[in-house]
Amino acid sequence: MSIDQQPQLGDGTRNRLVMLAALVAAAALGAAAFAVFTHGSGADKGGSGDQQHSQSPDAFSLPPTQGTTEPTVLPSAKSAKDGVPVGYPRTLNGAISAAAHFYDIIDAFNPVAAEKQYRVTAEPGKEKQLGDDALRFSMALRNSSGLSLVGESDAGNYYTLHSRAYRIDSASKDRVRVWILTDTELSARGVADSDTTVQTADLVWAAGDWKFTSLDEKGSEPDPVAPDSAQAVNAGWRTLAYAK
């Protein structure tokens, strides 16, 4: 899940790291601050998606509300920028693929890498905002795991996501809100733990591609369930696969 070449720290980035490190320490940000990357537990708050599956003429033809283990084959990206897949079709499956691919490659345990990755996929005009948010959240995740605020992922320290299924909350030709069910693994100093989590992606069609418009949680998300299980199917999760 890490980028092949990690960016070097320039003076501007180093100064931001120092300031954000102070903010993280002062605010005592814990794992909850990184909820944008992991929602692994909690009572089901009741999704609003069924009410938001709009009757608008701009709405996509949404998939059936029932779940399935028959994979939805998602389109591939046209290219990659700084290790981030980019270039998806303006379709519902294109938006789902953009979210699922991104969660699969995000290097959430490397603050500098996470900042750069979110800048690449951010809605135009929000690159700095989303990059700074990702940097702060990544440092909070490291802090909650007992690690230094800044560092690179390695064999003993990493956080990985593997997209397994999806549910659509709302969709139109320009905006899609999708939940991605992921297998996750977090390792701190070689002690690994795995879980199933739900990621919430708010995407907007901009600059000819699907872009993240926010890292903030909005509304509610469904409970995580075991992928490909009867419970997942009953909860409306639809298995995903990537085009080969």
Side-chain angles (χ1 to χ4, degrees), residues 19-103:
M19 289 187 290
L20 286 169
L23 288 173
V24 171
L29 292 173
F34 203 74
V36 65
F37 290 125
T38 175
H39 316 294
S41 61
D44 191 353
K45 307 162 199 172
S48 57
D50 289 343
Q51 290 143 0
Q52 291 183 15
H53 285 171
S54 93
Q55 304 301 318
S56 163
D58 292 332
F60 280 74
S61 295
L62 297 179
T65 56
Q66 68 268 25
T68 179
T69 57
E70 183 68 26
T72 299
V73 179
L74 301 177
S76 300
K78 291 181 179 179
S79 60
K81 180 178 179 181
D82 293 330
V84 179
V86 295
Y88 294 92
R90 192 177 184 178
T91 63
L92 182 58
N93 281 356
I96 298 166
S97 189
H101 273 104
F102 185 72
Y103 288 128

Side-chain angles (χ1 to χ4, degrees), residues 151-231:
E152 296 184 359
S153 300
D154 54 36
N157 302 299
Y158 58 84
Y159 183 85
T160 61
L161 304 175
H162 175 50
S163 299
R164 297 290 304 278
Y166 71 93
R167 280 177 58 179
I168 299 297
D169 181 43
S170 60
S172 73
K173 292 181 180 179
D174 296 316
R175 292 184 179 273
V176 172
R177 189 168 195 257
V178 57
W179 295 307
I180 305 292
L181 185 68
T182 62
D183 289 332
T184 71
E185 186 170 0
L186 185 151
S187 176
R189 297 190 176 93
V191 179
D193 189 22
S194 59
D195 199 358
T196 300
T197 60
V198 175
Q199 318 303 322
T200 301
D202 287 297
L203 303 169
V204 60
W205 181 261
D209 204 358
W210 289 107
K211 299 288 188 178
F212 280 74
T213 186
S214 173
L215 270 72
D216 297 329
E217 284 187 68
K218 297 175 182 177
S220 58
E221 72 281 337
D223 273 348
V225 293
D228 295 328
S229 66
Q231 185 181 6

